[in-house]
Amino acid sequence: MLIAGNWKLNCNINEAIDLSSSILNNLNSKVLRSEVALFPPTIYIETVYNVIKNSNIALGAQDCSVNISGAYTGDVSAPMLNDFGCKFSIVGHSERRNGKNESNKDVYLKAKNLMDFKMIPIICVGENAEDRERGNALDVIKKQLEESIPKSNNEFIIAYEPIWAIGSGKIPTLDSINEMFNMIRQWLTNNSMKNNIKILYGGSVNKGNAKELFSCKDLGGLLIGGVSLNPTEFSEICIIAS
Ligand code: PGA
């Protein structure tokens, strides 16, 4: 199980230190069976690295460039993230697919770059409310899988995050999460991918619904946004996961 905290565009430098230190203090003495990873804003990756470097908390980035180097002002590439101790990077989050017009092809290239530099992409997929209401959710996700995931033997993680569940306080029924996970698992098998690839759920996860989510059969972990900024609640979820 992986419990991932996506801080998005939040925190100043002191808050980044406080948040990572609090999580570290809460979890340090615990024997955790789940892996915990923090995803601060890129500029604070080194700051957080310095807090958690001697612990078993891992570090990840929220995004990476489709390019490796060159004239791409403002971009941060996979090898640069690797230099700063990132084990993971999220790619294809809906806030980038929709807000920054990122295509499946962009997500594919980012995931491939991360794999090439021995990092683990967390490839996000998710349907919008209209797709869900029209009964198209499975088809929409299947297309995102087909076009965003490099067919490779390298390690990667899929995060299923229905767009309508992100930050809304709503989560899908367990039946619909299980149905989606079954389809994703089948797709992985049909494409001869490893059977230990984790599938995470993300969208309005909190301490209250985490227990219920952990009963999903194929759940490989959680991608947590808002609640990852609350060190007590986030740490409690990490402990429940173990
Ligand atoms: P949320 O965000 O937990 O605040 O809904 C999840 C995400 O966007 O990864």
Side-chain angles (χ1 to χ4, degrees):
M1 205 66 98
L2 170 68
I3 309 297
N6 174 13
W7 295 3
K8 308 192 181 186
L9 186 61
N10 292 295
C11 294
N12 60 33
I13 190 164
N14 290 326
E15 289 164 347
I17 295 170
D18 287 350
L19 180 52
S20 48
S21 305
S22 302
I23 293 168
L24 179 65
N25 287 340
N26 292 340
L27 300 181
N28 221 1
S29 57
K30 303 279 187 299
V31 182
L32 297 177
R33 274 187 291 126
S34 296
E35 182 166 27
V36 176
L38 305 181
F39 295 74
T42 312
I43 195 139
Y44 300 135
I45 284 175
E46 190 179 11
T47 307
V48 174
Y49 172 81
N50 285 324
V51 175
I52 63 174
K53 65 182 168 202
N54 294 320
S55 75
N56 52 11
I57 297 178
L59 192 56
Q62 298 175 15
D63 185 39
C64 81
S65 176
V66 295
N67 300 297
I68 297 298
S69 66
Y72 304 104
T73 303
D75 277 17
V76 175
S77 69
M80 293 172 182
L81 297 173
N82 199 19
D83 279 348
F84 280 85
C86 288
K87 175 172 177 183
F88 304 99
S89 178
I90 297 168
V91 291
H93 192 285
S94 59
E95 287 155 14
R96 298 205 62 87
R97 286 179 182 270
N98 297 335
K100 309 281 176 191
N101 285 325
E102 287 187 0
S103 64
N104 287 333
K105 177 79 186 165
D106 293 327
V107 179
Y108 171 96
L109 290 172
K110 290 172 182 212
K112 173 125 191 6
N113 288 347
L114 290 159
M115 290 172 173
D116 288 347
F117 286 88
K118 307 282 172 257
M119 295 170 64
I120 303 172
I122 300 180
I123 302 168
C124 299
V125 293
E127 82 281 2
N128 63 29
E130 204 185 345
D131 296 326
R132 169 62 55 187
E133 273 153 30
R134 290 187 176 168
N136 294 339
L138 292 167
D139 288 344
V140 166
I141 302 302
K142 201 172 204 172
K143 183 167 163 56
Q144 289 180 347
L145 297 173
E146 290 285 351
E147 296 180 5
S148 312
I149 299 188
K151 307 268 184 335
S152 125
N153 268 330
N154 288 304
E155 196 177 343
F156 66 92
I157 292 172
I158 296 173
Y160 169 55
E161 297 206 306
I163 299 170
W164 52 272
I166 294 176
S168 65
K170 295 185 214 152
I171 65 165
T173 62
L174 292 191
D175 282 351
S176 66
I177 297 177
N178 281 327
E179 181 186 39
M180 189 60 78
F181 281 16
N182 284 341
M183 185 281 287
I184 295 173
R185 184 63 65 197
Q186 192 58 53
W187 183 87
L188 289 166
T189 307
N190 292 348
N191 284 281
S192 313
M193 307 230 188
K194 288 185 189 151
N195 58 9
N196 62 351
I197 288 170
K198 288 189 181 72
I199 310 173
L200 313 186
Y201 169 79
S204 292
V205 174
N206 58 39
K207 193 183 139 193
N209 58 31
K211 279 201 189 104
E212 195 188 348
L213 289 165
F214 286 132
S215 70
C216 284
K217 204 169 78 262
D218 202 4
L219 187 82
L222 299 169
L223 180 52
I224 306 178
V227 164
S228 72
L229 300 170
N230 176 332
T232 308
E233 189 168 349
F234 180 75
S235 305
E236 281 170 1
I237 296 173
C238 297
I239 292 164
I240 301 171
S242 297

